[in-house]
Amino acid sequence: MSDLHIDRLFPDPASDLPLDEAFADLDLPSSGAGRPYVAINMVTSVDGRAQVAGTAEGLGSRVDRRVMRLLRAGFDAVASGAGTLRATGFWPGVPPELAERRRAAGRSAQPLSLVIAGSTPVDLERWHGDEGGRMLFVGTANPQAPMAGVELLRAPTDDPEPHWLLAQVAERGIESVLLEGGPTVNAAFLAAGALDEIFWTVGARLVGSDALPMIAALPGGSPWADHPRRGSLVSVHRNDDELFLRYRFG
Ligand SMILES: NC(=O)c1ccc[n+]([C@@H]2O[C@H](COP(=O)([O-])OP(=O)(O)OC[C@H]3O[C@@H](n4cnc5c(N)ncnc54)[C@H](OP(=O)(O)O)[C@@H]3O)[C@@H](O)[C@H]2O)c1
């Protein structure tokens, strides 16, 4: 249990809530699309940048890092793109008290860990934690060798197509996937119409660079470029100068 607190601004405003309670029940609906429910969790600066000097370090606070773990506690699987794994490493685990929360909710103690690569092999040294199981998705031409403790799935396409990937994890009983970036893989899920929610931390920072945003430009152009897809606001929390926004795109 953390000693952190947070204000809820919407709905039902309330001050100084214990953070762990504020994010205890995510109340995820079904995707309604015959696939696992998919949410992105990302932190950006106020000007919308998701990278500082090549990583996300320095954008979010200690509260943001705790929120990240609280969100993981509410999902069956946590996923990362290979670019993020290469840039920062990937450990999608939760600490013991949140593992207990997962067990109490009928989940495995740790989320299933998913890495999504295209044509380049990934370095197992940068992928931490195997208690919840690991699945590596690669494109058809990726020369990735099998790795102990990792289920390797080779897509029939150059990059793993999100619906194909989600069908593979659904076969293993996964009903919800938390996508922790990066922006390129986020864009692939948006383009495929396989994105239901966004948990967005706005760090009180300005970057002013051309670093990647939360979702990279969609390859081949966006169908929403002229008619943006509309979402609905689920909740807003605030800690100090940092905002935690949750939008649903049903
Ligand atoms: N602010 C945040 O919350 C946050 C969160 C996560 C990451 N980040 C930052 O974002 C950066 C990494 O993001 P990124 O966009 O470069 O990498 P990424 O989205 O993590 O991964 C991109 C890679 O995924 C593979 N891939 C799988 N399916 C794909 C598809 N359908 N289309 C395209 N690529 C596909 C490709 O791997 P191959 O190279 O094998 O072809 C591609 O290079 C890092 O700086 C990281 O620190 C920030």
Side-chain angles (χ1 to χ4, degrees):
M1 188 88 176
S2 80
D3 57 356
L4 300 168
H5 288 71
I6 200 162
D7 298 334
R8 186 173 57 227
L9 308 185
F10 176 84
D12 307 325
S15 297
D16 214 26
L17 296 169
L19 178 61
D20 286 14
E21 285 175 27
F23 285 86
D25 181 10
L26 299 180
D27 195 19
L28 298 177
S30 149
S31 74
R35 56 161 174 78
Y37 198 74
V38 178
I40 283 174
N41 178 37
M42 295 279 284
V43 57
T44 76
S45 58
V46 172
D47 56 336
R49 300 299 165 185
Q51 296 173 296
V52 176
T55 79
E57 287 293 315
L59 286 172
S61 68
R62 180 171 163 237
V63 171
D64 176 55
R65 288 189 287 281
R66 181 67 181 178
V67 168
M68 183 186 220
R69 283 161 183 76
L70 289 163
L71 296 180
R72 288 173 177 175
F75 282 78
D76 293 342
V78 178
S80 169
T84 299
L85 179 90
R86 289 172 195 134
T88 61
F90 182 48
W91 180 74
V94 297
E97 72 279 8
L98 295 181
E100 196 45 54
R101 179 183 284 189
R102 290 179 58 87
R103 276 197 209 94
R107 293 194 166 88
S108 58
Q110 294 291 336
L112 175 64
S113 176
L114 313 176
V115 168
I116 312 168
S119 56
T120 314
V122 305
D123 179 2
L124 192 57
E125 300 267 301
R126 300 186 71 75
W127 189 357
H128 310 286
D130 58 2
E131 203 188 314
R134 294 198 272 198
M135 293 175 80
L136 172 61
F137 296 87
V138 298
T140 191
N142 192 317
Q144 180 77 52
M147 296 183 284
V150 178
E151 188 179 358
L152 177 62
L153 286 106
R154 193 171 297 282
T157 46
D158 287 346
D159 289 313
E161 199 281 319
H163 287 285
W164 171 84
L165 181 155
L166 291 169
Q168 307 307 309
V169 298
E171 274 180 20
R172 287 145 183 91
I174 296 298
E175 294 178 356
S176 55
V177 175
L178 183 64
L179 185 54
E180 292 187 349
T184 304
V185 163
N186 291 349
F189 277 74
L190 173 61
L195 176 58
D196 302 300
E197 276 197 23
I198 293 179
F199 292 90
W200 175 22
T201 303
V202 186
R205 307 275 192 275
L206 284 173
V207 179
S209 73
D210 62 353
L212 287 168
M214 178 198 292
I215 301 179
L218 272 52
S222 169
W224 301 287
D226 296 329
H227 305 285
R229 188 169 160 197
R230 181 165 181 159
S232 56
L233 188 62
V234 178
S235 63
V236 181
H237 291 82
R238 185 192 76 127
N239 170 65
D240 199 2
D241 296 321
E242 196 168 47
L243 283 178
F244 299 85
L245 307 173
R246 179 179 180 186
Y247 284 98
R248 186 165 290 161
F249 293 86

